[in-house]
């Protein structure tokens, strides 16, 4: 054999190292493809499971500042009536659960003192021609005892009903079993 056909002694380990590296790279690609296939299978099976029923809760945050900056002074939750227009909605007791941020649940101030009635849902608060709620003085929500109150948009800063400088609201979707 000629001198040019012979490989130097160090070339053989380098060739083996490159072959091993290529083999590891191919194995990693195959493992990744297998993982993607298993992941897609898992996601498709998960999508077939029955979804837990969801319900909306209205969260109202009351602020000491007139521009709703800083942490809220009070946060209260209202379980609204069913979705739909106010005229079709049943009269509900609007007894918000008052929470003072930073205090444990069940401490003083956990519920509003005054009992309110009315018709409110996330749909009426988000109404395309301007959000609103119907606040009523009696549990039958008679037309004479109700007043339609305009609302600012979801997440916007507006007037407080409880005497704070400002308030904002948003609808939160929670598992239906948490609303009871």
């Amino acid at each position: 054999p000629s001198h040019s056909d012979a490989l130097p002694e160090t070339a053989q380990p380098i060739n083996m190292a490159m072959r091993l590296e290529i083999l590891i790279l191919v194995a990693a690609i195959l493992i990744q493809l297998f993982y993607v296939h298993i992941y897609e299978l898992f996601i498709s099976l998960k999508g077939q499971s029955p979804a837990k029923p969801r319900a909306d809760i209205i969260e109202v945050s009351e602020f000491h500042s007139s521009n709703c900056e800083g942490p809220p002074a009070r946060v209260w939750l209202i379980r609204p009536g069913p979705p739909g227009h106010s005229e079709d909605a049943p009269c509900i007791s609007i007894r918000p659960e008052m929470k003072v941020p930073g205090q444990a649940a069940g401490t003083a101030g956990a519920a509003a003192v005054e009992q309110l009635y009315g018709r409110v849902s996330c749909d009426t608060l988000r109404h395309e021609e301007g959000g609103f709620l119907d606040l009523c003085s009696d549990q039958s929500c008679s037309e004479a005892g109700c007043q339609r109150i305009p609302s600012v948009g979801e997440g916007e800063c507006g007037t407080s009903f409880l005497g704070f400088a400002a308030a904002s609201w948003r609808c939160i979707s929670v598992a239906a079993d948490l609303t009871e």
Side-chain angles (χ1 to χ4, degrees):
S2 72
H3 184 63
S4 61
D5 290 339
L7 292 173
E9 290 179 27
T10 57
Q12 285 183 349
I14 292 175
N15 267 346
M16 279 305 269
M18 286 184 65
R19 287 180 187 163
L20 183 61
E21 189 174 330
I22 290 171
L23 182 64
I24 291 172
L25 181 63
V26 169
I29 290 171
L30 290 173
I31 290 170
Q32 180 66 29
L33 290 172
F34 177 73
Y35 170 77
V36 167
H37 177 72
I38 294 296
Y39 181 77
E40 288 174 354
L41 182 65
F42 175 75
I43 293 299
S44 68
L45 291 176
K46 190 173 183 178
Q48 294 173 0
S49 66
K52 289 187 177 184
R54 310 284 296 169
D56 285 332
I57 289 187
I58 301 167
E59 177 188 76
V60 179
S61 298
E62 303 281 350
F63 295 90
H64 288 301
S65 68
S66 60
N67 54 3
C68 298
E69 288 184 355
R74 299 283 185 274
V75 175
W76 43 291
L77 305 174
I78 299 173
R79 290 173 177 79
H85 299 291
S86 183
E87 294 78 22
D88 304 331
C91 184
I92 62 170
S93 169
I94 305 174
R95 185 163 178 89
E97 294 175 22
M98 184 77 70
K99 306 223 184 288
V100 178
Q103 286 187 354
T107 57
V113 176
E114 186 176 344
Q115 182 67 45
L116 300 172
Y117 300 94
R119 294 181 179 95
V120 62
S121 70
C122 290
D123 288 345
T124 60
L125 288 171
R126 292 174 174 154
H127 195 274
E128 61 190 38
E129 295 175 13
F132 63 91
L133 65 130
D134 291 332
L135 262 179
C136 305
S137 58
D138 59 18
Q139 63 188 23
S140 66
C141 292
S142 63
E143 197 172 318
C146 291
Q147 181 179 5
R148 181 155 288 177
I149 310 290
S151 173
V152 296
E154 188 167 5
E156 294 178 16
C157 191
T159 305
S160 167
F161 289 112
L162 300 178
F164 287 90
S168 68
W169 66 271
R170 67 183 181 142
C171 286
I172 303 171
S173 183
V174 296
D177 56 351
L178 296 177
T179 63
E180 301 185 10

